[in-house]
Amino acid sequence: MHILIVEDNALVASGIRAGLQLHGFTSDWAAGVAQAQAHLAARGYDACVLDLGLPDGDGMALLRRWRAAGQMLPVLILSARTTLQDKVEGLQSGSDDYLAKPFDLPELVARLQALLRRAGGRASDRIRLGRCEVDMASGEVWCDGLRVELARREWGLLQALIQARGRVLSTAQLHDCLYGFEQDVESNTVNVHVHHLRKKLGAGLIETVRGQGFRLGAGA
Ligand code: CA
């Protein structure tokens, strides 16, 4: 899952990014409104953590513009504005959740996971894929009842395919899910991760759609 973090405080942003990385999320950081717009125009994200007090504008106004333009990106507002009125206004402006600063990282991660669960149309974090079972919250995977260890990128790729709910994701989209802007990586890495996932979880788990990309296999 690829999360956009819009936060002008570099220390807070790097703390969030480190915490998310531990849970297998990839993130990009935007320090203000303009950069957030540029990031969002450049690639797709699974969710956004949005600060309100930004140096070049207001997060709430940005969110209203996104929603007016039909941007459905799940958004969690993370703000030092903590009155009831602020929270109500945030939710009415189109945020999916609102967490007050100071915050605890485990709560932020849990709320993001809940948000992604809803966006992915799942009632529970435990899902069955053919012979495999996946816990989307903990990142644990079992195949034929046996625990399988996945590398971070493999888990990220599997998360993205599950979140897509059978839609085909192009190699470029999967690449975006796995790597932030800062990372310059070989273009065939997605294929390598797919290969490893198939070896670990069975060839039928991921289907290649010729000329288009990958999706969860019919047997999954
Ligand atoms: Ca701020």
Side-chain angles (χ1 to χ4, degrees), residues 187-201:
S187 57
N188 71 344
T189 50
V190 165
N191 294 304
V192 172
H193 295 315
V194 167
H195 174 75
H196 288 157
L197 271 177
R198 281 174 171 155
K199 258 174 94 175
K200 289 182 179 180
L201 303 176

Side-chain angles (χ1 to χ4, degrees), residues 103-131:
F103 65 100
D104 290 310
L105 208 47
E107 184 176 6
L108 175 64
V109 170
R111 282 173 181 256
L112 270 178
Q113 283 170 332
L115 213 144
L116 291 162
R117 190 170 61 228
R118 287 196 296 275
R122 294 185 300 278
S124 142
D125 281 324
R126 276 286 181 111
I127 50 173
R128 178 155 278 286
L129 302 170
R131 295 158 49 202

Side-chain angles (χ1 to χ4, degrees), residues 43-117:
R43 66 173 12 155
Y45 291 94
D46 295 298
C48 171
V49 176
L50 179 64
D51 181 26
L52 296 182
L54 295 164
D56 59 347
D58 184 66
M60 198 92 83
L62 174 66
L63 176 58
R64 281 199 209 95
R65 284 207 299 282
W66 283 348
R67 294 310 187 221
Q71 174 55 258
M72 302 278 286
L73 178 70
V75 171
L76 180 149
I77 289 178
L78 181 62
S79 175
R81 299 181 200 162
T82 55
T83 68
L84 178 62
Q85 196 186 342
D86 293 324
K87 291 178 186 171
V88 169
E89 194 188 340
L91 292 166
Q92 287 177 340
S93 296
S95 85
D96 301 275
D97 200 356
Y98 196 113
L99 184 58
K101 290 176 183 168
F103 65 100
D104 290 310
L105 208 47
E107 184 176 6
L108 175 64
V109 170
R111 282 173 181 256
L112 270 178
Q113 283 170 332
L115 213 144
L116 291 162
R117 190 170 61 228

